[in-house]
PDB file of all heavy atoms in Angstrom:
ATOM      1  N   ALA A 126     -66.264  26.881  32.574  1.00  0.00           N
ATOM      2  CA  ALA A 126     -67.624  26.359  32.635  1.00  0.00           C
ATOM      3  C   ALA A 126     -68.560  27.455  33.101  1.00  0.00           C
ATOM      4  O   ALA A 126     -68.157  28.350  33.863  1.00  0.00           O
ATOM      5  CB  ALA A 126     -67.703  25.167  33.583  1.00  0.00           C
ATOM      6  N   LYS A 127     -69.782  27.391  32.623  1.00  0.00           N
ATOM      7  CA  LYS A 127     -70.783  28.337  33.100  1.00  0.00           C
ATOM      8  C   LYS A 127     -71.454  27.774  34.340  1.00  0.00           C
ATOM      9  O   LYS A 127     -71.696  26.579  34.447  1.00  0.00           O
ATOM     10  CB  LYS A 127     -71.813  28.656  32.001  1.00  0.00           C
ATOM     11  CG  LYS A 127     -72.708  27.504  31.621  1.00  0.00           C
ATOM     12  CD  LYS A 127     -73.746  27.949  30.591  1.00  0.00           C
ATOM     13  CE  LYS A 127     -74.819  28.831  31.167  1.00  0.00           C
ATOM     14  NZ  LYS A 127     -75.746  28.144  32.068  1.00  0.00           N
ATOM     15  N   PRO A 129     -74.735  27.870  37.147  1.00  0.00           N
ATOM     16  CA  PRO A 129     -76.182  27.979  36.954  1.00  0.00           C
ATOM     17  C   PRO A 129     -76.766  29.368  37.234  1.00  0.00           C
ATOM     18  O   PRO A 129     -77.805  29.714  36.688  1.00  0.00           O
ATOM     19  CB  PRO A 129     -76.752  26.956  37.936  1.00  0.00           C
ATOM     20  CG  PRO A 129     -75.621  26.057  38.265  1.00  0.00           C
ATOM     21  CD  PRO A 129     -74.378  26.885  38.152  1.00  0.00           C
ATOM     22  N   ALA A 137     -70.356  25.382  42.411  1.00  0.00           N
ATOM     23  CA  ALA A 137     -69.830  24.129  42.954  1.00  0.00           C
ATOM     24  C   ALA A 137     -69.705  23.088  41.845  1.00  0.00           C
ATOM     25  O   ALA A 137     -70.522  23.053  40.921  1.00  0.00           O
ATOM     26  CB  ALA A 137     -70.763  23.609  44.051  1.00  0.00           C
ATOM     27  N   LEU A 138     -68.671  22.243  41.945  1.00  0.00           N
ATOM     28  CA  LEU A 138     -68.444  21.233  40.907  1.00  0.00           C
ATOM     29  C   LEU A 138     -69.683  20.369  40.667  1.00  0.00           C
ATOM     30  O   LEU A 138     -69.985  19.994  39.531  1.00  0.00           O
ATOM     31  CB  LEU A 138     -67.256  20.340  41.275  1.00  0.00           C
ATOM     32  CG  LEU A 138     -65.856  20.925  41.069  1.00  0.00           C
ATOM     33  CD1 LEU A 138     -64.812  19.927  41.542  1.00  0.00           C
ATOM     34  CD2 LEU A 138     -65.630  21.302  39.621  1.00  0.00           C
ATOM     35  N   THR A 139     -70.400  20.084  41.730  1.00  0.00           N
ATOM     36  CA  THR A 139     -71.587  19.225  41.608  1.00  0.00           C
ATOM     37  C   THR A 139     -72.718  19.908  40.854  1.00  0.00           C
ATOM     38  O   THR A 139     -73.655  19.241  40.415  1.00  0.00           O
ATOM     39  CB  THR A 139     -72.086  18.801  43.000  1.00  0.00           C
ATOM     40  OG1 THR A 139     -72.238  19.970  43.806  1.00  0.00           O
ATOM     41  CG2 THR A 139     -71.101  17.873  43.672  1.00  0.00           C
ATOM     42  N   ASN A 140     -72.645  21.242  40.709  1.00  0.00           N
ATOM     43  CA  ASN A 140     -73.685  21.981  39.980  1.00  0.00           C
ATOM     44  C   ASN A 140     -73.374  22.127  38.502  1.00  0.00           C
ATOM     45  O   ASN A 140     -74.211  22.607  37.737  1.00  0.00           O
ATOM     46  CB  ASN A 140     -73.856  23.388  40.568  1.00  0.00           C
ATOM     47  CG  ASN A 140     -74.463  23.368  41.950  1.00  0.00           C
ATOM     48  OD1 ASN A 140     -75.045  22.380  42.366  1.00  0.00           O
ATOM     49  ND2 ASN A 140     -74.319  24.458  42.672  1.00  0.00           N
ATOM     50  N   LEU A 141     -72.149  21.783  38.099  1.00  0.00           N
ATOM     51  CA  LEU A 141     -71.736  22.019  36.724  1.00  0.00           C
ATOM     52  C   LEU A 141     -72.141  20.858  35.833  1.00  0.00           C
ATOM     53  O   LEU A 141     -71.874  19.701  36.142  1.00  0.00           O
ATOM     54  CB  LEU A 141     -70.214  22.214  36.662  1.00  0.00           C
ATOM     55  CG  LEU A 141     -69.637  23.326  37.537  1.00  0.00           C
ATOM     56  CD1 LEU A 141     -68.139  23.412  37.357  1.00  0.00           C
ATOM     57  CD2 LEU A 141     -70.302  24.656  37.232  1.00  0.00           C
ATOM     58  N   LEU A 142     -72.755  21.191  34.721  1.00  0.00           N
ATOM     59  CA  LEU A 142     -73.173  20.173  33.775  1.00  0.00           C
ATOM     60  C   LEU A 142     -72.080  19.976  32.722  1.00  0.00           C
ATOM     61  O   LEU A 142     -71.450  20.952  32.301  1.00  0.00           O
ATOM     62  CB  LEU A 142     -74.474  20.585  33.086  1.00  0.00           C
ATOM     63  CG  LEU A 142     -75.670  20.835  34.003  1.00  0.00           C
ATOM     64  CD1 LEU A 142     -76.850  21.337  33.191  1.00  0.00           C
ATOM     65  CD2 LEU A 142     -76.026  19.564  34.758  1.00  0.00           C
ATOM     66  N   PRO A 143     -71.861  18.748  32.286  1.00  0.00           N
ATOM     67  CA  PRO A 143     -70.815  18.510  31.270  1.00  0.00           C
ATOM     68  C   PRO A 143     -71.016  19.355  30.014  1.00  0.00           C
ATOM     69  O   PRO A 143     -70.042  19.830  29.410  1.00  0.00           O
ATOM     70  CB  PRO A 143     -70.967  17.015  30.967  1.00  0.00           C
ATOM     71  CG  PRO A 143     -71.548  16.435  32.199  1.00  0.00           C
ATOM     72  CD  PRO A 143     -72.471  17.504  32.730  1.00  0.00           C
ATOM     73  N   GLU A 144     -72.268  19.582  29.635  1.00  0.00           N
ATOM     74  CA  GLU A 144     -72.527  20.351  28.413  1.00  0.00           C
ATOM     75  C   GLU A 144     -72.289  21.841  28.595  1.00  0.00           C
ATOM     76  O   GLU A 144     -72.319  22.598  27.634  1.00  0.00           O
ATOM     77  CB  GLU A 144     -73.964  20.112  27.924  1.00  0.00           C
ATOM     78  CG  GLU A 144     -75.042  20.433  28.933  1.00  0.00           C
ATOM     79  CD  GLU A 144     -75.479  19.212  29.732  1.00  0.00           C
ATOM     80  OE1 GLU A 144     -74.628  18.342  30.001  1.00  0.00           O
ATOM     81  OE2 GLU A 144     -76.676  19.150  30.080  1.00  0.00           O
ATOM     82  N   ASP A 145     -72.073  22.269  29.841  1.00  0.00           N
ATOM     83  CA  ASP A 145     -71.808  23.678  30.106  1.00  0.00           C
ATOM     84  C   ASP A 145     -70.322  23.939  30.313  1.00  0.00           C
ATOM     85  O   ASP A 145     -69.934  24.932  30.934  1.00  0.00           O
ATOM     86  CB  ASP A 145     -72.590  24.130  31.341  1.00  0.00           C
ATOM     87  CG  ASP A 145     -74.070  24.224  31.082  1.00  0.00           C
ATOM     88  OD1 ASP A 145     -74.465  24.292  29.893  1.00  0.00           O
ATOM     89  OD2 ASP A 145     -74.837  24.229  32.062  1.00  0.00           O
ATOM     90  N   ARG A 146     -69.498  23.060  29.781  1.00  0.00           N
ATOM     91  CA  ARG A 146     -68.054  23.174  29.903  1.00  0.00           C
ATOM     92  C   ARG A 146     -67.434  23.153  28.517  1.00  0.00           C
ATOM     93  O   ARG A 146     -67.956  22.494  27.614  1.00  0.00           O
ATOM     94  CB  ARG A 146     -67.541  21.975  30.721  1.00  0.00           C
ATOM     95  CG  ARG A 146     -66.200  22.137  31.325  1.00  0.00           C
ATOM     96  CD  ARG A 146     -65.946  21.000  32.296  1.00  0.00           C
ATOM     97  NE  ARG A 146     -65.624  19.760  31.622  1.00  0.00           N
ATOM     98  CZ  ARG A 146     -65.498  18.586  32.247  1.00  0.00           C
ATOM     99  NH1 ARG A 146     -65.719  18.499  33.545  1.00  0.00           N
ATOM    100  NH2 ARG A 146     -65.177  17.504  31.572  1.00  0.00           N
TER     101      ARG A 146
END
Side-chain angles (χ1 to χ4, degrees):
K127 68 176 288 290
L138 283 178
T139 52
N140 291 343
L141 304 181
L142 301 176
E144 57 266 34
D145 289 341
R146 199 170 76 187

